[in-house]
């Protein structure tokens, strides 16, 4: 079990390990319900965010929270694609990942103004920032621009 003390010491390796292991697991099980491009886009976006966040030295636990959030976005996409047959290039997931990047930047800025954070709080801020940005972007884009399936779109298929 990962506790606060080990997370303080091993935040970056744990984040990289989670990102690589979840990507490998999803790529091995890719098929119609989850094409491999979904996992690869999430993988490269997660790696980019983790490396860029290292430059700004976030609080411990933040990077692991990002890795968990990006793994969750792939799970959400897999669930949504298994519910309905969506055709097309998957612009909805790309818009969601852009929202995750924006949420990561917002969470990073927020965490820099809170100097006394523990590793657990850093984990929560990182995961909520990225996942919240993803979900907000998906809800906005899926209800105004494109149809993303029953999970995110409130209306019926046009």
């Amino acid at each position: 079990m990962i506790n606060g003390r080990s997370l303080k010491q091993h935040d970056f390796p744990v984040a990289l390990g989670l990102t690589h292991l979840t990507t490998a697991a999803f790529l091995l099980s890719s098929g119609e319900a989850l094409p491999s491009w979904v996992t690869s886009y999430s993988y490269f976006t997660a790696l980019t965010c983790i490396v860029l966040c290292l430059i700004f030295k976030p609080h411990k636990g933040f990077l692991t929270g990002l890795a968990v959030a990006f793994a969750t976005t792939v799970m959400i996409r897999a669930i949504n694609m298994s519910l309905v047959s969506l055709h097309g290039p998957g612009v909805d997931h790309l818009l969601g990942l852009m929202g995750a990047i924006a949420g990561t930047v917002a969470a990073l800025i927020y965490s820099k103004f809170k100097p006394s954070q523990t590793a657990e709080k850093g984990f929560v801020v990182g995961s909520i920032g990225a996942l919240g940005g993803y979900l907000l972007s998906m809800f906005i884009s899926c209800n105004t621009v494109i149809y993303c399936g029953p999970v995110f779109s409130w209306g019926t298929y046009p």
Side-chain angles (χ1 to χ4, degrees):
M1 177 128 203
I2 299 173
N3 58 16
R5 180 172 294 152
S6 73
L7 195 57
K8 286 179 186 178
Q9 297 169 351
H10 307 293
D11 189 28
F12 181 64
V14 168
L16 282 181
L18 274 171
T19 303
H20 285 86
L21 286 175
T22 55
T23 301
F26 283 118
L27 283 176
L28 289 174
S29 67
S30 64
E32 279 187 34
L34 184 68
S36 61
W37 61 264
V38 172
T39 307
S40 61
Y41 284 165
S42 293
Y43 172 72
F44 288 118
T45 307
L47 277 184
T48 304
C49 285
I50 288 171
V51 169
L52 289 178
C53 285
L54 272 178
I55 295 170
F56 297 104
K57 294 184 175 68
H59 294 287
K60 297 297 180 185
F62 189 86
L63 299 177
T64 305
L66 282 181
V68 168
F70 279 102
T72 306
T73 64
V74 177
M75 287 186 256
I76 290 170
R77 179 64 181 183
I79 291 169
N80 193 28
M81 287 183 77
S82 69
L83 292 176
V84 67
S85 176
L86 295 175
H87 300 287
V91 175
D92 56 340
H93 187 64
L94 293 176
L95 290 172
L97 288 178
M98 285 189 254
I101 292 170
T104 299
V105 169
L108 187 62
I109 291 170
Y110 172 78
S111 72
K112 291 314 257 179
F113 289 115
K114 296 289 182 179
S116 61
Q117 281 192 350
T118 62
E120 292 85 3
K121 289 181 183 176
F123 176 83
V124 170
V125 168
S127 60
I128 287 178
L131 197 57
Y134 176 80
L135 292 174
L136 184 65
S137 176
M138 288 293 283
F139 280 121
I140 290 172
S141 64
C142 292
N143 288 301
T144 58
V145 181
I146 55 178
Y147 177 75
C148 304
V151 175
F152 295 107
S153 297
W154 290 323
T156 59
Y157 186 72

